[in-house]
């Protein structure tokens, strides 16, 4: 009874986490992706097109994820073809997220470290073609696997988490390769900045941005390696399945958190996008800026105080100038 209650609690947590994440990402997709599609200067820029692909992939992932766990929670009689479609969409969209993040890192590496070759090779449709390519690569592993379904209490096939257990080694290899490419890209970007002698405030801002990206990627990637390690320990009967399941639910919550803050990390921190958001959604721009300022104050607490001191100094000089001209 205790294990059944714990299993139901974990399943309930997955349903609510995926539902909340889907709602948040649906909002950001509506606001950010609509702005990117409607503005020519944004939809022709690789950075923003890849943000579009990232947010859309996360939206598809959590939409399918909510459907998958909801049918598990309701103990619905799911047919084998429907379960296969759900599992393959879930695995494809999840793989496409890490592939898109990798494409974003590699794109920034070539744009910063090889600007001349980047401007020659890149043409306008290539970011959209990159999105199609990542979706194609992400679908290779799911299409090569057959979901495993167990029979329920009434003898009918049940689409549960055991259908997601296939291809663990393929997934960890994909994540490992993408992690190496991402880390190498960011290291090369930092090295290029130091080689050029850019040691001013902009370089520190770039380091903070990379640190923020690294934190978000760590929350997303690291639990996958730990979960794979726990799977090996469970197969050797070193730990119990309950311990692995507890960490699986915790890692899913952290993964969802990483995807919910991805629109802020990769989207709202870009001034060009905020400017166009201000024109298209004036009622939301103020709230989005406050969210962005909150994240900036967390990563750099002294920034707000310096801006406030600079503003007070400028106001004092302006008041003195006005008083002198009036006399």
């Amino acid at each position: 009874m205790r294990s059944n209650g714990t299993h139901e609690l974990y399943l309930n947590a997955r349903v609510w986490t995926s539902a909340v994440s889907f709602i948040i990402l649906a909002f950001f997709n509506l606001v950010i992706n609509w702005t990117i599609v409607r503005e020519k200067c944004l939809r022709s820029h690789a950075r923003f097109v890849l943000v579009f692909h990232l947010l859309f992939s996360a939206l598809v992932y959590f939409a399918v994820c909510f459907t998958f766990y909801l049918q598990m929670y309701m103990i619905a009689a799911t047919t084998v073809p429907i379960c296969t479609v759900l599992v393959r969409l879930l695995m494809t969209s999840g793989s496409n997220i890490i592939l898109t993040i990798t494409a974003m890192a590699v794109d920034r590496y070539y744009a910063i470290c090889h600007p001349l070759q980047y401007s020659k090779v890149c043409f306008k449709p290539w970011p959209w073609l990159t999105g199609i390519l990542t979706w194609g690569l992400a679908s290779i592993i799911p299409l090569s696997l057959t979901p495993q379904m167990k029979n329920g209490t009434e003898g009918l096939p049940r689409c549960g988490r055991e259908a997601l257990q296939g291809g663990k080694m393929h997934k960890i290899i994909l994540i490992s390769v993408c992690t190496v490419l991402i880390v190498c890209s960011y290291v090369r970007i930092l090295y290029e900045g130091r080689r050029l002698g850019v040691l001013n405030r902009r370089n520190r801002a770039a380091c903070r941005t990379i640190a923020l990206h690294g934190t978000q990627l760590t929350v997303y990637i690291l639990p996958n390696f730990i979960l794979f390690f726990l799977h090996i320990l469970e197969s050797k009967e070193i730990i119990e399945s309950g311990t692995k399941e507890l960490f699986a639910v915790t890692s899913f919550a952290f993964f969802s958190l990483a995807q919910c803050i991805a629109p802020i990390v990769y989207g709202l921190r870009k001034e060009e996008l905020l400017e166009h958001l201000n024109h298209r959604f004036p009622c939301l721009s103020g709230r989005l800026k406050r969210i962005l300022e909150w994240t900036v104050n967390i990563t750099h607490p002294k920034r707000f105080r310096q801006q406030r001191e600079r503003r007070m100094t400028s106001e004092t000089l302006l008041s003195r100038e006005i008083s002198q001209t009036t006399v």
Side-chain angles (χ1 to χ4, degrees), residues 24 41 72 79 109 134 140 145 149 152 156 175 181 189 197 200 210 224 227 234 240 256 260 267 283-284 293 298 306:
I24 294 174
C41 60
M72 283 183 58
T79 61
Y109 161 72
T134 56
I140 293 176
L145 300 175
M149 297 180 62
L156 297 174
I175 295 174
L181 289 175
I189 290 172
N200 53 16
I210 292 178
N224 291 280
L227 194 61
E234 183 190 10
E240 298 180 355
S256 303
C260 289
C283 57
L284 295 175
E293 289 175 357
I298 291 177
Q306 292 174 354

Side-chain angles (χ1 to χ4, degrees), residues 313-324:
T313 304
S314 62
E315 289 177 352
T316 303
L317 293 175
L318 182 62
S319 62
R320 287 181 180 178
E321 184 178 352
I322 294 175
S323 62
Q324 290 177 1

Side-chain angles (χ1 to χ4, degrees), residues 1 8 225 261 305:
M1 292 293 292
E8 185 176 354
F225 291 103
I261 65 174
R305 186 174 61 190

Side-chain angles (χ1 to χ4, degrees), residues 28-236:
F28 281 116
N29 269 268
L30 179 64
V31 174
I32 295 178
N33 282 0
W34 177 257
T35 304
I36 292 174
V37 171
R38 297 296 297 174
E39 295 294 337
K40 183 178 179 181
C41 60
L42 297 181
R43 67 172 181 263
S44 59
H45 203 292
R47 285 192 303 168
F48 300 106
V49 174
L50 291 174
V51 170
F52 175 91
H53 290 308
L54 177 65
L55 297 184
F56 180 72
S57 300
L59 180 67
V60 173
Y61 176 84
F62 282 107
V64 180
C65 197
F66 173 70
T67 306
F68 180 80
Y69 288 118
L70 183 63
Q71 61 87 26
M72 283 183 58
Y73 182 78
M74 299 179 65
I75 317 179
T78 307
T79 61
V80 176
I82 294 178
C83 182
T84 302
V85 170
L86 287 176
V87 170
R88 287 178 176 174
L89 276 176
L90 199 60
M91 295 175 66
T92 301
S93 55
S95 300
N96 192 58
I97 291 174
I98 184 65
L99 287 172
T100 304
I101 294 176
T102 305
M104 295 170 71
V106 175
D107 171 73
R108 289 299 86 201
Y109 161 72
Y110 276 105
I112 295 173
C113 299
H114 305 283
L116 296 179
Q117 293 83 348
Y118 182 83
S119 59
K120 291 179 181 179
V121 173
C122 295
F123 55 99
K124 290 184 178 180
W126 86 265
W128 299 99
L129 296 177
T130 302
I132 298 175
L133 177 62
T134 56
W135 277 104
L137 292 175
S139 63
I140 293 176
I141 296 177
L143 291 176
S144 62
L145 300 175
T146 302
Q148 301 175 358
M149 297 180 62
K150 292 184 178 180
N151 293 330
T153 55
E154 300 179 356
L156 297 174
R158 184 178 177 183
C159 188
R161 279 187 50 79
E162 61 274 357
L164 301 173
Q165 301 305 314
K168 285 186 176 295
M169 185 59 68
H170 300 82
K171 297 174 189 175
I172 205 68
I173 291 175
L174 174 65
I175 295 174
S176 301
V177 173
C178 291
T179 302
V180 170
L181 289 175
I182 292 170
V183 172
C184 291
S185 298
Y186 282 132
V187 169
R188 286 292 299 169
I189 290 172
L190 281 176
Y191 174 78
E192 186 69 14
R194 293 184 180 277
R195 187 182 68 83
L196 296 175
V198 187
L199 299 177
N200 53 16
R201 180 174 170 271
R202 283 190 176 184
N203 191 38
R204 293 197 298 270
C207 292
R208 287 194 301 271
T209 300
I210 292 178
L212 185 60
H213 288 195
T215 303
Q216 194 261 351
L217 289 172
T218 301
V219 174
Y220 170 48
I221 294 175
L222 186 60
N224 291 280
F225 291 103
I226 300 178
L227 194 61
F228 180 74
F229 179 69
L230 292 178
H231 172 71
I232 296 175
L233 295 179
E234 183 190 10
S235 62
K236 294 182 178 181

